[in-house]
Amino acid sequence: MEKKVYLDYSATTPVKQEVFDAMLPYFMAEFGNPSSIYQIGIENKNAISEAREKVAKLIGAEDKEIFFTSGGTESDNWALCGAVRMLRKEGKNHIITTAIEHHAIHHTCEFLKEYEGCEYTYLPVDEKGRVNPEDLEAAITDKTAIVSIMLANNEIGTIQDIKALSDIAHAKGVLFHTDAVQAIGNVKIDVKAMGIDMLSMSAHKIYGPKGVGAFYLKKGIKLPNFIQGGGQEKGHRAGTENVAGIVGFGKAAELALENIDKHIAEVSSKRDYFEKSLLEKIPEIEVNGDTANRLPGNCNILFHYIEGEALLLFMDMKNIFVSTGSACSSSSGAASHVLRACGIPEELALSTIRFTVGDLTTREDLDYAIGEIVQIVEKLRAISPFNKNNKWQV
Ligand code: PLP
């Protein structure tokens, strides 16, 4: 079989065998509707409760604080829409977030501005992608309804000091949400100790299925219901539950928690080997992000004098799968808003590749990828229309 090397674990992850096995019965044998009050319905309801406990445990929450959704995007929408809809009557319609959030946050801000008259502020970040707590403090006004700052960035992997940031929001009486889609399973999370009021998660980043996620809502916070319909998820998020998906998410969360130390150690060691090898073998490349405090699998590299997209396509021809930015925006051709926010000029931001390694990445995969990348970079630089200043030659 042809060798295929997947180095895009931040885009999505393969479902683990144990997760798949746990899900399988819920497609056929255990097909009941969890709202039905006879046996095969109740069995499904119980399976959802078990999954809820497992997901809650992963972030140090109580199970009644977890609501299943269709994924990270929906959870992010719920946090922002819920907060401004709840607090609008108190004159609060302002959202504070950062310049490096996922589009699930940015596009929700833009939507709420256009259709619901909200305002938003994007906090700047430094060259490593870190938010300065003083900037947050200065941005909060008496109209601020919610602060939303991602726990870990999906492109450069930078991990924020969430406790310092949530403390500032709370000192001013403002709700604090974090998008932890990339962080769960990769960073130890305790929502209570970190002062988090709302948190977004997604199953497919932790070896679970796509199309299922969860929203943590601290008990006592009364957001308006997000999706109207039947009484599922205590009426907050109606719609017949994706039972197989939820069970898969529960299993993936259980495995992620059990293996978190091993996962962090092994994945960061593979990433370090890969990164060090590229830095040794290829001149004029740079690592983006906060190398002292980033996601274990993340390696975001700027290859001077090469267009990232060309590199990606040549790697694709060699069966090496990576991305130039987040999977959701990589087809846009525009420079990454995350790298631009870190102060990287547009032409350099376009010369960047995000590699992310994961549990199934082998040393052999990495050696194959390193060998091919060295050759591709040489080939592309030989024909590059960029000069040494990264400007087009005329
Ligand atoms: N937030 C971040 C940081 C992400 O990386 C992603 C997906 O890549 C999402 C939100 C969206 O999650 P989902 O794909 O589950 O909708």
Side-chain angles (χ1 to χ4, degrees):
M1 209 165 69
E2 258 191 334
K3 185 155 191 64
K4 291 195 169 151
V5 177
Y6 181 75
L7 296 176
D8 205 11
Y9 279 79
S10 271
T12 195
T13 57
V15 168
K16 284 200 166 151
Q17 187 65 50
E18 299 98 304
V19 171
F20 183 70
D21 292 344
M23 292 172 69
L24 213 48
Y26 295 93
F27 289 105
M28 294 179 79
E30 306 284 347
F31 65 90
N33 186 322
S35 297
S36 303
I37 55 172
Y38 43 76
Q39 284 173 50
I40 57 168
I42 294 166
E43 276 156 21
N44 271 258
K45 205 182 183 76
N46 292 341
I48 293 176
S49 301
E50 266 180 46
R52 202 183 306 280
E53 270 174 41
K54 291 172 182 167
V55 170
K57 248 191 179 163
L58 181 61
I59 58 163
E62 291 177 33
D63 46 1
K64 60 171 178 271
E65 296 174 312
I66 300 296
F67 299 91
F68 288 111
T69 64
S70 64
T73 301
E74 184 184 323
S75 302
D76 283 346
N77 271 259
W78 189 349
L80 301 189
C81 296
V84 296
R85 287 170 188 165
M86 175 174 71
L87 295 168
R88 188 177 290 131
K89 54 185 175 301
E90 295 175 27
K92 295 182 187 226
N93 66 351
H94 174 227
I95 298 164
I96 299 178
T97 184
T98 79
I100 59 166
E101 299 294 315
H102 190 270
H103 285 147
I105 291 289
H106 279 180
H107 289 170
T108 305
C109 288
E110 289 160 23
F111 174 90
L112 287 170
K113 180 172 178 164
E114 185 168 354
Y115 295 102
E116 301 192 19
C118 295
E119 297 295 330
Y120 59 83
T121 301
Y122 290 167
L123 299 174
V125 292
D126 68 11
E127 72 288 355
K128 294 182 173 180
R130 296 171 302 194
V131 176
N132 180 348
E134 284 171 18
D135 290 336
L136 170 60
E137 184 141 31
I140 297 176
T141 71
D142 54 7
K143 285 192 167 358
T144 307
I146 185 166
V147 170
S148 175
I149 298 179
M150 68 197 324
L151 210 156
N153 183 264
N154 46 306
E155 293 187 33
I156 51 176
T158 301
I159 298 169
Q160 304 293 339
D161 183 352
I162 291 298
K163 176 74 169 86
L165 298 162
S166 69
D167 278 351
I168 290 168
H170 291 151
K172 300 214 176 187
V174 177
L175 291 169
F176 187 87
H177 166 256
T178 189
D179 175 337
V181 168
Q182 294 288 339
I184 57 165
N186 287 311
V187 177
K188 289 184 180 174
I189 301 176
D190 180 337
V191 283
K192 310 288 169 193
M194 292 164 105
I196 297 166
D197 299 316
M198 300 173 214
L199 178 147
S200 303
M201 295 175 259
S202 183
H204 73 102
K205 310 289 184 178
I206 58 162
Y207 308 92
K210 294 169 185 62
V212 59
F215 182 55
Y216 157 77
L217 179 63
K218 187 178 168 188
K219 66 179 175 221
I221 300 174
K222 302 241 173 301
L223 291 195
N225 293 340
F226 190 51
I227 295 185
Q228 321 311 318
Q232 295 91 347
E233 297 301 284
K234 297 205 205 92
H236 293 319
R237 196 276 185 188
T240 302
E241 299 89 336
N242 169 8
V243 183
I246 290 170
V247 167
F249 188 13
K251 189 70 193 170
E254 180 181 48
L255 294 173
L257 185 61
E258 262 170 38
N259 299 318
I260 194 158
D261 289 317
K262 185 166 171 276
H263 167 84
I264 293 172
E266 288 182 1
V267 170
S268 56
S269 141
K270 292 178 209 176
R271 184 269 319 274
D272 291 346
Y273 170 74
F274 177 71
E275 190 169 281
K276 197 162 161 274
S277 306
L278 289 185
L279 287 166
E280 276 167 13
K281 290 175 198 290
I282 307 177
E284 300 193 74
I285 64 173
E286 288 173 48
V287 180
N288 294 315
D290 185 358
T291 50
N293 203 15
R294 65 181 155 157
L295 290 171
N298 179 281
C299 169
N300 187 298
I301 296 200
L302 162 55
F303 293 86
H304 284 273
Y305 324 125
I306 293 182
E307 209 200 340
E309 204 104 302
L311 193 47
L312 181 148
L313 294 174
F314 272 75
M315 281 195 257
D316 187 24
M317 286 192 270
K318 294 289 178 184
N319 288 338
I320 303 165
F321 309 123
V322 299
S323 72
T324 47
S326 74
C328 316
S329 56
S330 53
S331 55
S332 72
S336 146
H337 68 283
V338 174
L339 299 174
R340 297 289 288 120
C342 293
I344 297 175
E346 186 169 17
E347 62 274 21
L348 295 184
L350 287 167
S351 297
T352 291
I353 293 285
R354 175 188 73 178
F355 301 94
T356 40
V357 305
D359 284 355
L360 277 65
T361 310
T362 63
R363 178 71 169 252
E364 200 194 349
D365 289 343
L366 295 177
D367 286 335
Y368 170 76
I370 293 160
E372 293 296 338
I373 294 166
V374 169
Q375 289 181 41
I376 295 169
V377 169
E378 241 170 59
K379 204 184 307 174
L380 286 174
R381 279 187 176 161
I383 57 164
S384 170
F386 287 112
N387 67 17
K388 287 258 164 189
N389 296 319
N390 260 12
K391 297 273 181 261
W392 289 99
Q393 286 176 357
V394 281

